[in-house]
Each structure stands twice: as C-alpha cells, then as structure tokens.
Amino acid sequence: MTNTLMPCLNIKHFVIFSLLFGLAACHKNLTRPLGESGVIYCSEGNPYSFNPQLDTSGTTSDASSHQIYDRLINFDPLTGKIVPALASSWLISDDGLTYTFQLRRDVQFHTTSYFSPSRNFNADDVIFSINRWRLPEHPFHDVSGGNYPYFSSSGLSYVINDVKRINGYRVELTLDHPDSSFLANLATDFAVILSAEYAQQLEQLNIKTNIDNLPIGTGPFKFEQYKKNRYIRFSKHQQYWLHDRAPQKLIFDITPSSSLRLAKLMTGECDAIAFPAHSELDTIREREDLILDEKPGLNVGFWAFNTAKAPFDQPKVRQALAMAIDKNSLIEAVYFGSAVSAKGLLPESSWAYQADLSDTNYNPVMARQLLRESGVAEGFTMNIWAMPVERAYNPNARKMAELMQNYLAQVGVRVNIVSYEWSAFRERLKQGAHDSVLIGWSADNGDPDNFYRPLLTCDAITSGTNRAMWCSHEYDDLVNKALQYSETEQRVRYYKMANKLLAKEVPLVPLAHAFRYRAHRRELTGLLINPFGAIRFGDVEKP
C-alpha cells in the first residue's frame, strides 16, 4: 500500500484499515468514471423512484431532487433563506392568496438518448408539474401509483385553488386560504419541475411511467443508467442554466454496509459517503486525507405506535410503553454523543421550540401498573419494526430495538424485532402491518409545520408519513390554525396546545435530535450538508 492511502495510521487503525480494505476489494462493482472530474458517492440504498414527488425517502431525494431537477425556488443551504431558482422573482398579494412567479428564460431541459426537447422551460412545465399531484383527473396523476405523500401530508393539494398561465414566463398560483408555510413547501426537495413536452411524448407512445423511471429535468446532471443494488450513473448537463461547475460524471455506488462505505472512502474508491456510523467518526477525524462535516440536524428520531391496532389504540398503553424505556441510555448506546434527547417533535434550533416541554420519565414500575390496568396481560407480545438503513435521526435502529426489547421484557412485554429491505419496509409500513416502528423525520424546510403536519395529521395517514396511524381532528385544527398567522408568537401559541395534546395522547415517543455527518475525501470541495433536504453535487469540484 502506498502512503497516499494510509497517512498517519497507528497499529489499531492499521488493523481496522486492513480489514476494511479487504472488504472493499471483494465488493468492487464499478469502475471510476473516466477523467479527473468524475465523482463517486457511496450511497446507502436504492431509490424508490427518480421522481421525488412520489416518495419522501432520502434515497429517492438524494438520487434525484438536486441532481436531475430544479424547483421554482430553493433554500440557501448556508442561510436557510428562500432564493430564486427557476422563478427569478415573485409577488404576493396583500391578502396572501395570490402568488405570481416570473420564470427564468433560456433554461434547457436535458437531451438524452430517450428524449430531445424542442423548446426551453416555460410556464407549461410549471402548470403540468403542479397539477400532476394536485388534480386527481390529471392524465398523469395516477401514473406510478398516484400517491404524492409530501403534498398530501402537507395539505398543499387542498391549499392551491388554481394554477394559471399569465404568459409563457409568468404563472399565478391562487390559494384557498393564507398559508404562512406555502413558499417553504415550494422550496422543498419534492416540488420539482418536470417537462410537459416529455410527458406529452410519453403519452403518445403509451409509456407514461417512463416519466418517473427515465427522468428528464433541468438540473446539473442527466440520468444515464440504474442497476438496482449496484449503481446509478449520471452525466453533466452541459447547458445547465446556473453554472458550469458540475463534474463531468457522477456515480452513486449503492453500498448498504456502513463499514464497506468507509473502506471505499479510505481506499479512494469513493469520493464521499452517506451516513458514516457513529463508531467510525473518530477514525475519519484522525485521517489527514478525509474530511468529516457535521451540523446540527433538523430532525427527530421516534418510536411510533400503530394506534389503529389494539391495544395501541389506548393512550394509557402508549404512555406505559413510553415509561418502560430508558431514553437517555438508548441515546448513549446508539448515538455515541452525537444527539440530544428529544422532548417533542421540534429540535432546539426551531423558532417554535418549547423549552419547558415536559419529557417522559423512565418508570418501569408505573409502566407495568398501567399495562395491567389497561388489560395487557403479562407475556403480551408485540413487534418493533427497525429500519434496515442508517439515518441521521437513528443510525442503528436494530440495536435500539434490541435494547428496547430488554427494557420491555422487564414490564412483562415480549418483543419481536421485524425488518425488511428498505422499499418493502416502507410499503408495508404504509399498509399498517406494524405494531410499532423505530423511524424518524428529517425536515425539508425550517418551518415547524414541516414536523407537525406530515408526521401526525389525519391526511398524512393516507400519504404514508403518519407512521402512528393517529387521527385527531383537534390536533389537525390546531395545526391548521397556526398557519393562518404570519406572526410567530401567534403560531407558537397553537403549537404549544398541540404539544400538550401529544403529551396526553402519546401517538409516538420522540427519542432524539441528531447531528448530521458526511465524510468525503479532502480534494473534494463544494459538498455542503444541506440542512433542508437532499445532497447536492452540482456545486462539487474535484481537481
């Protein structure tokens, strides 16, 4: 081995590195792209789709949102402010009901082996992209399943009354009622702009589903090829409207094993990796050829109960189970100091964070008593579903489930731990097959509504983001009323009432707010942790 691969290794790290290097050598499944400007990213799993309108998972957003597509507006990853993207400017009426967007000119869609655009981006593409998820009668609404989880759970499908073409480069969106989170929702990973011309071509050929599997956008990269469980290949969009910095090639090397991702990073087989394990962070920090970026996360990891199933439909049972686990010990064992205990849905960085919110105390004696009072007999068996992938909000759901299994045994509850491949796991969760699940949420914008609405409103059950299957019209009313005000003081008042209701009902147990980590090789520049969503490679440069 050369010194470029093994700078400053002590004996312990030499042993670790040797093992990992062997793993990497045995698992090579692609070659580095030609040319020095090619970038390989070791991702953690397969995307469900190449259209983030259809899916809220990080694997889908990472592979599509900022590589293939653009939005009308974006979040600046450094300041969090909303900035122009495909819309160069916008106006809001005094009553908050009309938003007029001036669109950018001379923006070209991708030219690929399967589509050659005859025109540039214009108002027709905005109308098509929004109406596809907004209108059930739209010719592409039911394509690929017809489920648009983010828009359903956020209520955007009902907020927008009309999308009107003023001219080729101006569109007007009319709302049913004022919504202070509207612009933030349009800046999320999911509000991407598709090509209406491409859709028309696919409709004529009767292959509509290609719009989500062979994607066309205006983003910095064009889709080339996808091999499930192996890789995704992209090439540079040479006519990208924003800049010319993007690498010539981008490859997602799909590598579910965290240790194998690290091995590939250390050997230079990958330039950046997803979700390094917390036990690997010190190894990364000590290497001169690697960079570990870290940032407080807008996220929450939680344990959700399926309230549509007995006995989890009883608040007293849910309270008892929450008391049966030692949350602080779980955090110490799973997060290794990289997370703080969560008392509610919102992390401390949110402007609506409630510092005086009470937390659930570990009390196995009271837990056992409440269970018996609720008719849950000694030896009752339940399942805990544990995610098969690492996430910032829960880096090792399996380990956490095993620890919880021991805690629950002490109050007379037997636990079976369930897991599946990630796509199957999420699909079965949506069907409500679970008793409970260890999962979480990473916010798509900084508005508190982005936690309260998709996680626990009634509409979010159908969209698949409400893992607790909990529906409270009182809760929905509080969340909806909060959006009628632009003043933060008024909104906080409703969120405090919502927090009080959640503490009483316990549809889920907030566990942790975690830091986000990403590791990459030192020579890679421009790769920032995006606190509001998916990874962005368009600004990455490599010598």
Side-chain angles (χ1 to χ4, degrees):
M1 294 182 194
T2 66
N3 289 333
T4 57
L5 290 180
M6 297 183 61
C8 306
L9 281 176
N10 58 31
I11 295 299
K12 178 185 74 172
H13 290 150
F14 178 83
V15 174
I16 294 173
F17 179 80
S18 298
L19 292 171
L20 293 177
F21 183 82
L23 279 171
C26 292
H27 287 80
K28 288 185 179 180
N29 60 8
L30 47 80
T31 58
R32 176 166 290 283
L34 296 175
E36 287 301 312
S37 63
V39 170
I40 296 182
Y41 173 60
C42 277
S43 62
E44 78 281 15
N46 295 300
Y48 170 80
S49 166
F50 287 98
N51 181 357
Q53 294 178 329
L54 299 169
D55 184 46
T56 58
S57 74
T59 50
T60 293
S61 296
D62 282 343
S64 59
S65 294
H66 296 277
Q67 321 318 333
I68 299 170
Y69 301 105
D70 289 300
R71 287 139 298 283
L72 289 176
I73 50 180
N74 272 332
F75 286 108
D76 185 310
L78 294 176
T79 66
K81 293 181 179 178
I82 293 174
V83 295
L86 292 180
S88 56
S89 63
W90 56 92
L91 295 172
I92 307 173
S93 63
D94 291 340
D95 61 6
L97 294 178
T98 304
Y99 290 70
T100 305
F101 292 90
Q102 183 65 42
L103 305 181
R104 200 175 296 276
R105 295 174 181 268
D106 301 320
V107 175
Q108 296 187 34
F109 281 101
H110 301 154
T111 296
T112 68
S113 61
Y114 51 88
F115 177 66
S116 296
S118 64
R119 63 165 177 81
N120 290 341
F121 157 78
N122 66 27
D124 295 335
D125 305 302
V126 177
I127 295 169
F128 170 83
S129 301
I130 295 176
N131 282 346
R132 178 184 175 182
W133 52 259
R134 188 178 76 89
L135 301 176
E137 66 272 18
H138 191 275
F140 274 77
H141 183 83
D142 292 331
V143 173
S144 302
N147 185 34
Y148 304 90
Y150 183 79
F151 302 110
S152 298
S153 63
S154 65
L156 273 187
S157 302
Y158 313 110
V159 170
I160 301 175
N161 264 350
D162 192 24
V163 185
K164 185 187 299 183
R165 186 185 198 273
I166 304 302
N167 58 46
Y169 290 93
R170 183 173 295 178
V171 292
E172 181 181 277
L173 277 66
T174 306
L175 308 190
D176 176 74
H177 55 268
D179 183 337
S180 54
S181 68
F182 181 65
L183 284 179
N185 283 322
L186 286 187
T188 61
D189 291 345
F190 317 107
V192 297
I193 300 300
L194 312 174
S195 165
E197 183 187 14
Y198 180 45
Q200 185 179 26
Q201 173 184 298
L202 296 177
E203 188 171 17
Q204 291 170 351
L205 296 171
N206 198 28
I207 47 174
K208 290 183 181 179
T209 55
N210 279 11
I211 197 169
D212 305 314
N213 302 321
L214 294 173
I216 292 292
T218 60
F221 296 100
K222 300 186 292 186
F223 175 83
E224 282 193 352
Q225 187 181 24
Y226 169 49
K227 294 288 188 182
K228 187 174 181 179
N229 298 322
R230 294 187 63 200
Y231 60 78
I232 312 166
R233 293 182 184 271
F234 304 90
S235 60
K236 180 178 179 178
H237 178 28
Q238 301 291 349
Q239 292 77 36
Y240 185 44
W241 62 273
L242 185 57
H243 57 65
D244 191 44
R245 291 195 297 272
Q248 292 295 328
K249 295 287 184 181
L250 172 64
I251 293 178
F252 277 43
D253 180 353
I254 299 168
T255 312
S257 166
S258 175
S259 59
L260 185 53
R261 291 198 297 272
L262 177 59
K264 290 181 176 182
L265 182 69
M266 293 169 73
T267 60
E269 190 176 342
C270 285
D271 298 298
I273 62 173
F275 303 108
H278 291 73
S279 58
E280 300 166 348
L281 299 182
D282 286 341
T283 300
I284 297 170
R285 289 188 181 105
E286 292 172 14
R287 289 184 60 94
E288 294 181 358
D289 57 342
L290 303 182
I291 296 291
L292 180 68
D293 294 323
E294 52 190 289
K295 202 168 195 175
L298 280 170
N299 59 48
V300 59
F302 55 81
W303 181 27
F305 305 109
N306 186 345
T307 62
K309 282 186 173 183
F312 312 103
D313 55 345
Q314 301 180 55
K316 187 184 283 189
V317 170
R318 302 193 295 264
Q319 291 167 1
L321 294 172
M323 290 180 183
I325 62 169
D326 186 345
K327 187 190 298 186
N328 291 328
S329 295
L330 292 176
I331 292 172
E332 289 175 10
V334 174
Y335 295 88
F336 296 98
S338 63
V340 296
S341 179
K343 295 191 291 185
L345 297 181
L346 300 180
E348 193 171 348
S349 56
S350 171
W351 55 259
Y353 175 74
Q354 185 178 344
D356 61 352
L357 192 63
S358 59
D359 201 359
T360 304
N361 293 319
Y362 175 49
N363 191 336
V365 175
M366 179 60 70
R368 180 182 287 272
Q369 179 181 326
L370 290 176
L371 287 171
R372 301 298 94 81
E373 290 176 359
S374 303
V376 177
E378 187 86 19
F380 168 73
T381 300
M382 64 177 288
N383 63 52
I384 296 179
W385 285 34
M387 291 186 303
V389 296
E390 297 103 339
R391 284 288 177 266
Y393 51 69
N394 194 328
N396 194 334
R398 178 82 191 193
K399 180 178 180 180
M400 182 177 283
E402 290 169 354
L403 295 170
M404 292 170 63
Q405 187 178 46
N406 293 331
Y407 282 122
L408 292 168
Q410 296 172 24
V411 297
V413 175
R414 297 175 182 172
V415 169
N416 294 321
I417 299 172
V418 177
S419 194
Y420 300 96
E421 185 271 331
W422 184 223
S423 295
F425 184 90
R426 297 177 70 252
E427 185 60 34
R428 295 182 188 190
L429 267 185
K430 185 181 175 184
Q431 294 168 3
H434 59 295
D435 292 339
S436 69
V437 60
L438 287 170
I439 201 163
W441 180 259
S442 292
D444 309 293
N445 62 64
D447 195 288
D449 186 73
N450 196 248
F451 284 89
Y452 287 102
R453 186 174 300 277
L455 291 182
L456 288 169
T457 56
C458 298
D459 284 340
I461 296 175
T462 305
S463 64
T465 56
N466 182 343
R467 308 301 187 183
M469 305 287 181
W470 181 70
C471 179
S472 165
H473 297 294
E474 179 183 358
Y475 175 85
D476 281 18
D477 187 55
L478 292 171
V479 172
N480 290 333
K481 283 181 177 176
L483 287 187
Q484 296 174 13
Y485 298 91
S486 56
E487 302 86 358
T488 57
E489 296 82 0
Q490 289 284 1
R491 294 185 65 188
V492 166
R493 184 164 65 92
Y494 286 103
Y495 292 137
K496 284 185 174 181
M497 287 189 278
N499 289 340
K500 186 176 180 180
L501 180 62
L502 294 179
K504 175 185 173 185
E505 293 288 326
V506 199
L508 55 78
V509 181
L511 297 171
H513 303 296
F515 280 79
R516 295 184 66 179
Y517 296 92
R518 183 169 293 124
H520 60 85
R521 297 195 63 81
R522 183 171 292 276
E523 59 267 25
L524 205 67
T525 60
L527 183 62
L528 303 176
I529 292 180
N530 177 14
F532 305 108
I535 193 168
R536 305 181 183 190
F537 282 101
D539 295 321
V540 168
E541 295 183 90
K542 181 184 173 187

